[in-house]
Amino acid sequence: MNNIFENNPDNILKAAAVIKNGGLVAFPTETVYGLGANVYNAQAVASIFAAKQRPHFDPLISHIAEVDFLKEYAATDERVFALAKRFWPGPLTFVLKRIDENPSIDLACSGLRTLTVRMPRHPIALELIRQSGVPIVAPSANKYQSISPTTAQHVADGLGDKVDMILDGGACKVGVESTIIDLTGKRIVMLRAGGTAKEELEDFLGEKILLSEGNPTLPTAPGQLLRHYAPRNVLRINVTAPEKDEYFIGFGKIDGHLNLSPRGDLQEAAGNLFAYLRLADSKAPRGKIAVAPIPLDGLGLAINDRLKRASYK
Ligand code: TXA
Ligand code: MG
């Protein structure tokens, strides 16, 4: 079955109808492809968890196209709106206190009293949300704990006919998921490193933000599970001299079978990361992959985070 649809206005309308009728649509964002459903339709939201084989204690991100949506559902303040104004649309997700009593979104929030929300910077995603007329909840469109999808074909490979429609928007530009910050307290806590660099946030805010390592046995952000984003093969990280039988992914001057970015550009490396992990998975001769060291600044924090979890045994 081929459920990949090319990007045109008709197909976006069709996809919006699927969302309204309680179906699942995979769509491109600037970070990774999302598996989307109508936030208000508990059946549809439940089918996301089923398709991904994801546990229900793992809350979903609501994707919105208008900032005004926040006022109805979440405790907002100047800090929230200032961050939204500067970083949205873009790869930054807020965890906010819920103020609504609307039980239909309980499942999307996994019963927590927080709402997790972002405005994606991708014209197809924004148009789909507008045409659907509702916020779209969407985790990454892959099986639980496996490598996130950055092309429509990756989605089809992983989820097949569990999704009604896959909108094709080409390869995702950012390539790693959004940065998640918890704005429910006085100090801002980063729950997941991602496509918005920590330094950029700190420069804007004029203060340091805390990094949460999370509690891996009781995840508040299961992106913080020790094993996540995982290839099938064994993965070693921070490798400068690979073993002969390892499929080697290089970076910068350290070259390998593949190189995340020969010129040492972290944005380029983030964009290639998940696709190269998939490629390595299919090519590694003895089931062994090794990856060169990646610097920790800028998007490097997110890349190292994904690699650490992918390498966890
Ligand atoms: O870039 C992205 O964020 C992509 C695209 C599709 O938007 N989405 C994405 O969703 O990565 P997902 O579900 O794969 O990862 C969301 C993470 C999960 O680890 C989840 O546990 C965490 O966000 N999360 C969601 N709501 C939360 C909350 N209220 N408190 C703490 N963590 C939360
Ligand atoms: Mg995910």
Side-chain angles (χ1 to χ4, degrees):
M1 175 176 142
N2 185 8
N3 51 2
I4 298 180
F5 290 74
E6 64 167 323
N7 171 29
N8 63 43
D10 269 2
N11 283 340
I12 294 182
L13 275 181
K14 229 183 254 172
V18 171
I19 295 281
K20 284 189 240 178
N21 291 325
L24 297 185
V25 174
F27 62 96
T29 80
E30 77 281 30
T31 59
V32 300
Y33 276 71
L35 180 62
N38 176 354
V39 69
Y40 302 117
N41 186 325
Q43 280 293 323
V45 175
S47 66
I48 289 184
F49 288 97
K52 279 183 67 82
Q53 297 168 340
R54 168 164 166 153
H56 285 86
F57 59 70
D58 194 350
L60 303 174
I61 298 174
S62 293
H63 295 69
I64 60 175
E66 316 293 338
V67 177
D68 275 353
F69 167 81
L70 287 183
K71 293 184 187 145
E72 221 176 298
Y73 285 90
T76 51
D77 54 23
E78 275 172 32
R79 186 176 66 176
V80 171
F81 287 117
L83 282 163
K85 188 162 180 227
R86 164 68 180 79
F87 291 98
W88 282 0
L92 183 64
T93 296
F94 302 162
V95 174
L96 303 170
K97 281 199 185 107
R98 259 175 85 182
I99 54 167
D100 72 289
E101 293 300 333
N102 187 341
S104 72
I105 68 170
D106 283 354
L107 186 56
C109 298
S110 292
L112 298 176
R113 291 306 302 163
T114 49
L115 179 78
T116 311
V117 62
R118 86 176 187 101
M119 187 187 291
R121 188 172 63 218
H122 195 296
I124 299 179
L126 290 170
E127 191 55 22
L128 178 66
I129 298 163
R130 287 198 190 101
Q131 297 290 351
S132 303
V134 293
I136 295 182
V137 280
S140 51
N142 55 290
K143 284 261 165 67
Y144 185 59
Q145 295 190 333
S146 70
I147 305 173
S148 300
T150 52
T151 68
Q153 191 57 50
H154 293 163
V155 179
D157 292 345
L159 295 177
D161 58 9
K162 292 195 172 63
V163 37
D164 298 303
M165 265 183 96
I166 302 170
L167 280 173
D168 193 348
C172 301
K173 289 216 173 79
V174 176
V176 290
E177 291 87 343
S178 60
T179 298
I180 303 180
I181 53 175
D182 184 338
L183 295 172
T184 60
K186 207 165 177 313
R187 291 289 304 273
I188 299 179
V189 181
M190 186 181 277
L191 299 179
R192 177 174 75 182
T196 300
K198 182 163 174 280
E199 296 89 326
E200 234 185 300
L201 287 166
E202 289 176 338
D203 282 351
F204 177 72
L205 292 160
E207 66 176 65
K208 289 276 174 207
I209 50 185
L210 305 171
L211 261 186
S212 153
E213 286 297 322
N215 175 347
T217 50
L218 202 159
T220 48
Q224 295 180 328
L225 287 170
L226 290 175
R227 183 167 177 80
H228 208 87
Y229 316 104
R232 289 189 304 273
N233 290 305
V234 180
L235 180 74
R236 278 204 312 140
I237 56 178
N238 291 320
V239 174
T240 44
E243 310 281 333
K244 274 205 184 70
D245 60 352
E246 283 176 325
Y247 190 86
F248 190 45
I249 303 179
F251 175 80
K253 291 196 177 79
I254 302 180
D255 217 1
H257 296 93
L258 297 167
N259 192 324
L260 286 168
S261 171
R263 59 194 160 97
D265 179 302
L266 289 166
Q267 272 184 16
E268 183 182 29
N272 287 329
L273 179 68
F274 289 137
Y276 282 12
L277 284 178
R278 280 168 191 270
L279 210 60
D281 230 2
S282 67
K283 295 219 163 132
R286 301 255 159 78
K288 290 178 172 179
I289 308 171
V291 186
I294 312 289
L296 269 167
D297 53 309
L299 287 193
L301 191 64
I303 298 174
N304 276 288
D305 170 83
R306 304 302 184 271
L307 286 172
K308 200 169 84 198
R309 296 179 205 287
S311 68
Y312 186 81
K313 289 190 215 84

